[in-house]
Amino acid sequence: MRILLAEDDALTTQSLTYFLKAKNYEIVHAKDGEAALQFLKTEAYNLIITDLNMPKIGGMELIHIIRNDLKLETPIIVLTASGVEQTELDAFAIGASEFISKPFSPSVLNTRIQRLVPIS
């Protein structure tokens, strides 16, 4: 399974990549929403994990572009430090599949990944 990880925080990226690779996922990292869009225009992914607060193009705008311009139905998990309920509701309204607040349990993330993209 190929996962596109759009995350600007180096420590979060490193720990997530280590954990997800140990679960046999292939991880492609984009340092911001703009880089994520470039990857999405040239390659297919089974899942997208995105932070909301990133430089250039943030997560909300990224989700909007994925759903409305690229017309992709790829599941999207939002990982963010924002615990604001309205932010979560807004993310779901524009097309997020899951919303997980930081800090989070890697095991919970893995369970949600498996639920969104069952391995056949």
Side-chain angles (χ1 to χ4, degrees):
M1 176 190 316
R2 295 187 78 220
I3 298 175
L4 176 61
L5 173 61
E7 172 64 64
D8 64 324
D9 180 73
L11 185 58
T12 302
T13 298
Q14 184 179 17
S15 59
L16 265 177
T17 299
Y18 178 80
F19 174 78
L20 293 171
K21 282 186 175 182
K23 298 291 183 187
N24 294 316
Y25 299 127
E26 179 186 345
I27 307 303
V28 174
H29 173 245
K31 65 183 184 315
D32 56 49
E34 185 176 84
L37 284 177
Q38 293 308 312
F39 284 120
L40 288 166
K41 289 177 181 177
T42 60
E43 299 181 46
Y45 298 89
N46 303 99
L47 177 73
I48 300 162
I49 299 175
T50 185
D51 187 15
L52 290 183
N53 298 316
M54 296 182 292
K56 298 183 182 176
I57 295 176
M60 290 291 204
E61 186 178 356
L62 177 63
I63 295 167
H64 178 81
I65 293 168
I66 290 168
R67 297 295 190 235
N68 295 291
D69 298 344
L70 301 179
K71 306 284 190 211
L72 297 176
E73 296 181 14
T74 308
I76 300 170
I77 297 177
V78 172
L79 285 180
T80 186
S82 173
V84 179
E85 180 181 8
Q86 190 59 52
T87 302
E88 185 172 353
L89 294 172
D90 291 346
F92 283 125
I94 62 170
S97 309
E98 278 287 352
F99 189 99
I100 303 174
S101 293
K102 295 175 186 174
F104 61 93
S105 160
S107 297
V108 168
L109 173 62
N110 188 50
T111 298
R112 292 187 183 180
I113 290 171
Q114 291 175 350
R115 195 188 80 206
L116 286 171
V117 188
I119 299 171
S120 36

